[in-house]
Coordinates of all heavy atoms in Angstrom, one line a residue:
A242 N -7.6 -5.9 -12.2 CA -6.5 -5.7 -11.3 C -7.0 -4.8 -10.1 O -7.6 -3.7 -10.3 CB -5.3 -5.0 -11.9
G243 N -6.8 -5.3 -8.9 CA -7.2 -4.6 -7.7 C -8.5 -5.0 -7.1 O -8.8 -4.7 -5.9
T244 N -9.3 -5.8 -7.8 CA -10.6 -6.2 -7.2 C -10.4 -7.2 -6.1 O -9.5 -8.0 -6.1 CB -11.5 -6.9 -8.3 OG1 -10.7 -8.0 -8.9 CG2 -11.9 -5.9 -9.4
G245 N -11.3 -7.0 -5.1 CA -11.1 -7.8 -3.9 C -10.1 -7.3 -2.9 O -9.9 -7.9 -1.8
Y246 N -9.5 -6.2 -3.2 CA -8.5 -5.5 -2.4 C -9.0 -4.1 -2.2 O -9.5 -3.5 -3.1 CB -7.1 -5.6 -3.0 CG -6.0 -5.3 -2.1 CD1 -5.3 -6.4 -1.5 CD2 -5.6 -4.1 -1.7 CE1 -4.2 -6.2 -0.7 CE2 -4.5 -3.8 -0.9 CZ -3.8 -4.9 -0.3 OH -2.8 -4.7 0.5
D247 N -8.7 -3.5 -1.0 CA -9.2 -2.1 -0.8 C -8.2 -1.2 -1.5 O -7.4 -0.5 -0.9 CB -9.2 -1.8 0.7 CG -10.0 -0.6 1.0 OD1 -10.4 0.1 0.0 OD2 -10.3 -0.3 2.2
I248 N -8.3 -1.2 -2.8 CA -7.3 -0.5 -3.6 C -7.4 1.0 -3.4 O -6.4 1.8 -3.5 CB -7.4 -0.9 -5.1 CG1 -6.1 -0.6 -5.8 CG2 -8.6 -0.2 -5.8 CD1 -5.0 -1.6 -5.5
Y249 N -8.6 1.6 -3.3 CA -8.7 3.0 -3.1 C -8.1 3.5 -1.8 O -7.4 4.5 -1.8 CB -10.2 3.4 -3.1 CG -10.9 3.3 -4.4 CD1 -12.0 2.4 -4.6 CD2 -10.4 4.0 -5.5 CE1 -12.6 2.3 -5.8 CE2 -11.0 3.9 -6.7 CZ -12.1 3.0 -6.9 OH -12.7 2.9 -8.1
A250 N -8.2 2.8 -0.7 CA -7.6 3.2 0.5 C -6.1 3.1 0.4 O -5.4 4.0 0.9 CB -8.1 2.3 1.7
L251 N -5.6 2.1 -0.3 CA -4.1 2.0 -0.5 C -3.6 3.2 -1.4 O -2.6 3.8 -1.0 CB -3.8 0.7 -1.3 CG -2.4 0.5 -1.6 CD1 -1.6 0.3 -0.3 CD2 -2.2 -0.8 -2.5
E252 N -4.4 3.6 -2.4 CA -4.0 4.7 -3.2 C -4.1 6.0 -2.4 O -3.1 6.8 -2.5 CB -5.0 4.8 -4.4 CG -4.6 5.9 -5.4 CD -5.6 5.9 -6.6 OE1 -6.8 5.8 -6.3 OE2 -5.1 5.9 -7.7
L253 N -5.1 6.2 -1.6 CA -5.2 7.3 -0.8 C -4.0 7.4 0.2 O -3.5 8.5 0.4 CB -6.5 7.3 0.0 CG -6.8 8.4 1.0 CD1 -6.9 9.8 0.3 CD2 -8.0 8.1 1.9
R254 N -3.7 6.3 0.8 CA -2.6 6.3 1.8 C -1.3 6.7 1.1 O -0.5 7.5 1.7 CB -2.4 4.9 2.4 CG -1.5 4.9 3.6 CD -1.4 3.5 4.2 NE -0.6 3.4 5.4 CZ -0.4 2.3 6.1 NH1 -0.9 1.2 5.8 NH2 0.5 2.4 7.1
W255 N -1.1 6.3 -0.1 CA 0.2 6.6 -0.9 C 0.2 8.1 -1.2 O 1.2 8.8 -1.0 CB 0.2 5.8 -2.1 CG 1.5 5.9 -2.9 CD1 1.6 6.5 -4.2 CD2 2.8 5.5 -2.6 NE1 2.9 6.5 -4.6 CE2 3.6 5.8 -3.7 CE3 3.3 4.8 -1.5 CZ2 5.0 5.5 -3.7 CZ3 4.7 4.5 -1.5 CH2 5.5 4.9 -2.6
F256 N -0.9 8.6 -1.7 CA -1.0 10.0 -2.1 C -1.0 10.9 -0.9 O -0.4 12.0 -0.9 CB -2.2 10.3 -3.0 CG -2.0 9.8 -4.4 CD1 -3.1 9.2 -5.1 CD2 -0.8 9.9 -5.1 CE1 -3.0 8.8 -6.4 CE2 -0.6 9.4 -6.4 CZ -1.7 8.9 -7.0
D257 N -1.7 10.5 0.2 CA -1.6 11.3 1.4 C -0.2 11.5 1.9 O 0.2 12.6 2.4 CB -2.4 10.7 2.5 CG -3.9 11.0 2.5 OD1 -4.3 11.8 1.6 OD2 -4.7 10.5 3.3
R258 N 0.6 10.5 1.7 CA 2.0 10.6 2.2 C 2.8 11.6 1.3 O 3.5 12.4 1.8 CB 2.7 9.2 2.1 CG 4.2 9.2 2.1 CD 4.8 9.7 3.4 NE 6.2 9.7 3.4 CZ 6.9 10.8 3.0 NH1 6.3 11.9 2.6 NH2 8.3 10.7 3.1
W259 N 2.7 11.5 0.0 CA 3.5 12.3 -0.9 C 2.9 13.6 -1.3 O 3.7 14.6 -1.6 CB 3.9 11.5 -2.1 CG 4.6 10.2 -1.8 CD1 4.1 8.9 -1.9 CD2 5.9 10.1 -1.2 NE1 5.0 8.0 -1.4 CE2 6.2 8.7 -1.0 CE3 6.9 11.0 -0.9 CZ2 7.4 8.2 -0.5 CZ3 8.1 10.5 -0.4 CH2 8.3 9.1 -0.2
L260 N 1.6 13.7 -1.3 CA 1.0 15.0 -1.8 C 0.5 15.8 -0.6 O 0.2 17.0 -0.8 CB -0.2 14.7 -2.7 CG 0.1 13.8 -4.0 CD1 -1.1 13.7 -4.9 CD2 1.3 14.3 -4.7
K261 N 0.3 15.2 0.5 CA -0.2 16.0 1.7 C 0.8 16.0 2.9 O 0.6 16.6 3.9 CB -1.5 15.4 2.2 CG -2.7 15.7 1.3 CD -4.0 15.2 1.9 CE -5.2 15.5 1.0 NZ -6.5 15.0 1.6
S262 N 1.9 15.2 2.7 CA 3.0 15.1 3.7 C 2.5 14.6 5.0 O 3.0 14.9 6.1 CB 3.6 16.5 4.0 OG 4.3 17.0 2.8
E263 N 1.4 13.7 4.9 CA 0.9 13.0 6.1 C 1.8 11.8 6.5 O 2.3 11.1 5.6 CB -0.5 12.6 5.9 CG -1.5 13.8 5.8 CD -2.9 13.3 5.7 OE1 -3.2 12.1 5.8 OE2 -3.8 14.2 5.4
R264 N 1.9 11.5 7.7 CA 2.8 10.4 8.2 C 1.9 9.2 8.2 O 1.5 8.7 9.2 CB 3.3 10.7 9.6 CG 4.2 11.9 9.6 CD 4.8 12.2 11.0 NE 5.6 11.1 11.4 CZ 6.2 11.1 12.6 NH1 6.0 12.1 13.5 NH2 7.0 10.0 13.0
T265 N 1.7 8.6 7.0 CA 0.8 7.4 6.9 C 1.6 6.2 7.1 O 1.0 5.1 7.3 CB 0.2 7.4 5.5 OG1 1.2 7.1 4.5 CG2 -0.5 8.6 5.1
G266 N 2.9 6.2 7.1 CA 3.7 5.0 7.3 C 3.9 4.1 6.2 O 4.6 3.1 6.3
I267 N 3.3 4.4 5.0 CA 3.3 3.4 3.9 C 4.6 3.2 3.4 O 5.0 2.1 2.9 CB 2.3 3.9 2.8 CG1 2.0 2.7 1.8 CG2 2.7 5.2 2.2 CD1 0.9 3.0 0.9
D268 N 5.5 4.2 3.4 CA 6.8 4.1 2.9 C 7.8 3.5 3.9 O 9.0 3.2 3.5 CB 7.3 5.4 2.4 CG 7.3 6.5 3.4 OD1 6.3 6.5 4.2 OD2 8.3 7.3 3.5
H269 N 7.4 3.3 5.1 CA 8.3 2.7 6.2 C 8.2 1.2 6.2 O 7.5 0.6 7.0 CB 7.9 3.3 7.5 CG 8.1 4.8 7.6 ND1 7.6 5.6 8.6 CD2 8.8 5.7 6.8 CE1 8.0 6.8 8.5 NE2 8.7 6.9 7.4
T270 N 8.8 0.6 5.2 CA 8.8 -0.9 5.2 C 10.1 -1.4 4.6 O 10.8 -0.8 3.8 CB 7.6 -1.3 4.2 OG1 7.7 -2.7 4.1 CG2 7.8 -0.7 2.8
R271 N 10.5 -2.6 5.2 CA 11.7 -3.3 4.7 C 11.3 -4.3 3.6 O 12.2 -5.0 3.1 CB 12.4 -3.9 5.8 CG 13.0 -2.9 6.8 CD 13.7 -3.7 8.0 NE 14.2 -2.7 9.0 CZ 14.8 -3.1 10.1 NH1 15.0 -4.4 10.4 NH2 15.3 -2.2 10.9
T272 N 10.0 -4.5 3.4 CA 9.5 -5.4 2.4 C 8.5 -4.8 1.5 O 7.3 -4.9 1.6 CB 8.8 -6.6 3.1 OG1 7.8 -6.1 4.0 CG2 9.8 -7.4 3.9
P273 N 9.0 -4.1 0.4 CA 8.2 -3.3 -0.4 C 7.5 -4.1 -1.5 O 6.8 -3.6 -2.3 CB 9.1 -2.3 -1.1 CG 10.4 -2.4 -0.4 CD 10.5 -3.8 0.2
L274 N 7.8 -5.4 -1.5 CA 7.2 -6.3 -2.6 C 6.1 -7.2 -1.9 O 6.4 -7.9 -1.0 CB 8.3 -7.2 -3.2 CG 7.9 -8.2 -4.2 CD1 7.2 -7.6 -5.4 CD2 9.1 -9.0 -4.6
H275 N 4.8 -7.0 -2.4 CA 3.7 -7.6 -1.7 C 3.1 -8.6 -2.7 O 2.5 -8.2 -3.8 CB 2.7 -6.5 -1.3 CG 3.3 -5.4 -0.6 ND1 3.9 -5.4 0.6 CD2 3.5 -4.1 -1.1 CE1 4.4 -4.2 0.9 NE2 4.2 -3.4 -0.1
L276 N 3.1 -9.9 -2.4 CA 2.7 -10.9 -3.4 C 1.5 -11.7 -2.8 O 1.5 -12.1 -1.7 CB 3.9 -11.9 -3.6 CG 5.2 -11.2 -4.1 CD1 6.3 -12.3 -4.1 CD2 5.0 -10.7 -5.5
D277 N 0.6 -12.0 -3.7 CA -0.4 -13.0 -3.4 C 0.2 -14.4 -3.6 O 0.7 -14.7 -4.7 CB -1.6 -12.8 -4.4 CG -2.6 -13.9 -4.3 OD1 -3.3 -14.0 -3.3 OD2 -2.7 -14.7 -5.2
E278 N 0.1 -15.2 -2.6 CA 0.6 -16.6 -2.8 C -0.5 -17.4 -3.5 O -1.6 -17.6 -2.9 CB 0.9 -17.2 -1.4 CG 1.5 -18.6 -1.5 CD 1.8 -19.2 -0.2 OE1 1.7 -18.5 0.8 OE2 2.2 -20.4 -0.2
L279 N -0.2 -17.8 -4.7 CA -1.2 -18.4 -5.5 C -1.8 -19.6 -4.8 O -1.2 -20.5 -4.3 CB -0.5 -18.9 -6.8 CG 0.0 -17.7 -7.7 CD1 0.7 -18.3 -8.9 CD2 -1.2 -16.9 -8.2
E280 N -3.2 -19.7 -4.9 CA -4.0 -20.8 -4.4 C -4.0 -20.9 -2.9 O -4.8 -21.6 -2.3 CB -3.6 -22.1 -5.0 CG -3.5 -22.2 -6.5 CD -4.8 -21.8 -7.1 OE1 -5.9 -22.1 -6.5 OE2 -4.8 -21.3 -8.3
A281 N -3.2 -20.1 -2.2 CA -3.2 -20.1 -0.7 C -4.1 -19.1 -0.1 O -4.3 -19.1 1.1 CB -1.8 -20.0 -0.2
N282 N -4.5 -18.1 -0.9 CA -5.5 -17.1 -0.4 C -4.9 -16.3 0.8 O -5.5 -16.0 1.8 CB -6.8 -17.7 0.1 CG -7.9 -16.7 0.2 OD1 -7.9 -15.7 -0.5 ND2 -8.8 -16.9 1.1
R283 N -3.6 -15.9 0.6 CA -3.0 -15.0 1.6 C -1.9 -14.2 0.9 O -1.4 -14.5 -0.2 CB -2.4 -15.8 2.7 CG -1.2 -16.6 2.4 CD -0.5 -17.1 3.6 NE 0.7 -17.8 3.3 CZ 1.6 -18.2 4.2 NH1 1.3 -18.0 5.5 NH2 2.7 -18.9 3.9

């Protein structure tokens, strides 16, 4: 799980927001569900 995706940068952005109070913007979304479209590679 997570291979092929920049999972560390995503994790850092999440923790920077909540543990360092940085304005990373990660929580500013109306679409919090992020899905890989099977076989479409997007």
